[in-house]
Amino acid sequence: SAVISQKPSRDICQRGTSLTIQCQVDSQVTMMFWYRQQPGQSLTLIATANQGSEATYESGFVIDKFPISRPNLTFSTLTVSNMSPEDSSIYLCSVDSVSGELFFGEGSRLTVL
Amino acid sequence: AQSVSQHNHHVILSEAASLELGCNYSYGGTVNLFWYVQYPGQHLQLLLKYFSGDPLVKGIKGFEAEFIKSKFSFNLRKPSVQWSDTAEYFCAVNEGDSSYKLIFGSGTRLLVRP
């Protein structure tokens, strides 16, 4: 199994600012994923982050709003840019495994005022 | 597009009651199926998964799920719930070997009363 640490665990931000969420894994992984869980809703995949290449974004998500870095095989960041109250969500980092299972971090709960 | 439906958004049970949470998906091809659980204040954890073989799969903590291909269903069951099963349960699907992307259902919040 993989142990995933996310920072910050929660934050309260002002409208128009940006926040960068960090994801650290205790082992090298090929694929890292960023999900969003809006209040009362399910998890939605934002993008897939592969080391050494541009992130692949899902429909409805764009790089200008959610820039992602993946500098090595154990670390990734997701930035939520120019935030609005609609961006209030839990953002989750996850990684895949050889068993096909996804492991998740504890999430970063973001509240935008 | 593929979708996953969980029909029960909130379930309240007493301890020792039996549990069945429904999950249906829309994809007609080969799928991998998962149930994840999120206990209060904790991260998502895998309960069980189905890739192939016996359609009745057993997971941790006495949970099991049955894959019924004809019904596009993967319902989660437990014969006797405990207070510690209070959590949110998510069904998820990906498209077999062609996609690593997990599509999640909306989740079911289970409250077990002692």
Side-chain angles (χ1 to χ4, degrees):
Chain A
S1 65
V3 177
I4 303 170
S5 303
Q6 281 187 238
K7 291 181 181 179
S9 58
R10 58 179 65 232
D11 207 341
I12 300 173
C13 301
Q14 296 297 320
R15 182 195 299 260
T17 63
S18 299
L19 177 74
T20 296
I21 302 167
Q22 299 179 3
C23 176
Q24 179 75 53
V25 188
D26 68 343
S27 58
Q28 293 185 340
V29 293
T30 304
M31 305 181 88
M32 297 179 75
F33 307 93
W34 286 98
Y35 282 84
R36 180 175 75 180
Q37 186 178 16
Q38 292 178 300
Q41 298 188 29
S42 186
L43 286 80
T44 303
L45 181 63
I46 297 172
T48 303
N50 292 326
Q51 194 264 339
S53 63
E54 292 282 338
T56 303
Y57 289 83
E58 297 300 305
S59 176
F61 298 97
V62 295
I63 188 171
D64 289 346
K65 176 67 176 178
F66 297 101
I68 288 171
S69 77
R70 181 78 197 274
N72 57 52
L73 292 174
T74 63
F75 187 78
S76 177
T77 66
L78 170 75
T79 299
V80 186
S81 303
N82 188 23
M83 288 183 285
S84 66
E86 293 70 35
D87 294 320
S88 297
S89 290
I90 299 173
Y91 292 86
L92 297 118
C93 172
S94 71
V95 303
D96 68 341
S97 68
V98 294
S99 66
E101 173 184 354
L102 282 190
F103 295 98
F104 287 86
E106 294 187 359
S108 299
R109 185 182 292 271
L110 173 62
T111 302
V112 184
L113 303 177
Chain B
Q2 189 177 148
S3 65
V4 179
S5 299
Q6 290 182 243
H7 313 294
N8 315 102
H9 298 294
H10 292 88
V11 174
I12 302 174
L13 295 173
S14 299
E15 276 196 315
S18 64
L19 170 71
E20 180 160 3
L21 301 182
C23 173
N24 289 91
Y25 62 93
S26 63
Y27 185 65
T30 301
V31 292
N32 298 323
L33 300 150
F34 306 80
W35 275 98
Y36 281 83
V37 61
Q38 188 169 27
Y39 298 103
Q42 298 187 27
H43 60 276
L44 278 165
Q45 303 170 43
L46 183 69
L47 262 183
L48 48 78
K49 64 187 178 189
Y50 172 82
F51 283 9
S52 64
D54 188 343
L56 183 63
V57 293
K58 296 190 183 298
I60 60 172
K61 305 185 180 184
F63 286 91
E64 65 179 31
E66 184 174 13
F67 170 50
I68 303 179
K69 188 174 182 179
S70 61
K71 295 184 178 180
F72 298 90
S73 70
F74 190 56
N75 292 354
L76 181 71
R77 300 193 292 250
K78 185 170 183 178
S80 177
V81 294
Q82 301 172 312
W83 174 79
S84 58
D85 293 324
T86 294
E88 188 158 17
Y89 294 82
F90 293 92
C91 181
V93 176
N94 69 13
E95 296 173 7
D97 292 334
S98 65
S99 177
Y100 49 79
K101 301 176 191 177
L102 273 188
I103 309 299
F104 282 84
S106 56
T108 299
R109 286 185 183 272
L110 172 65
L111 172 64
V112 180
R113 290 181 170 152

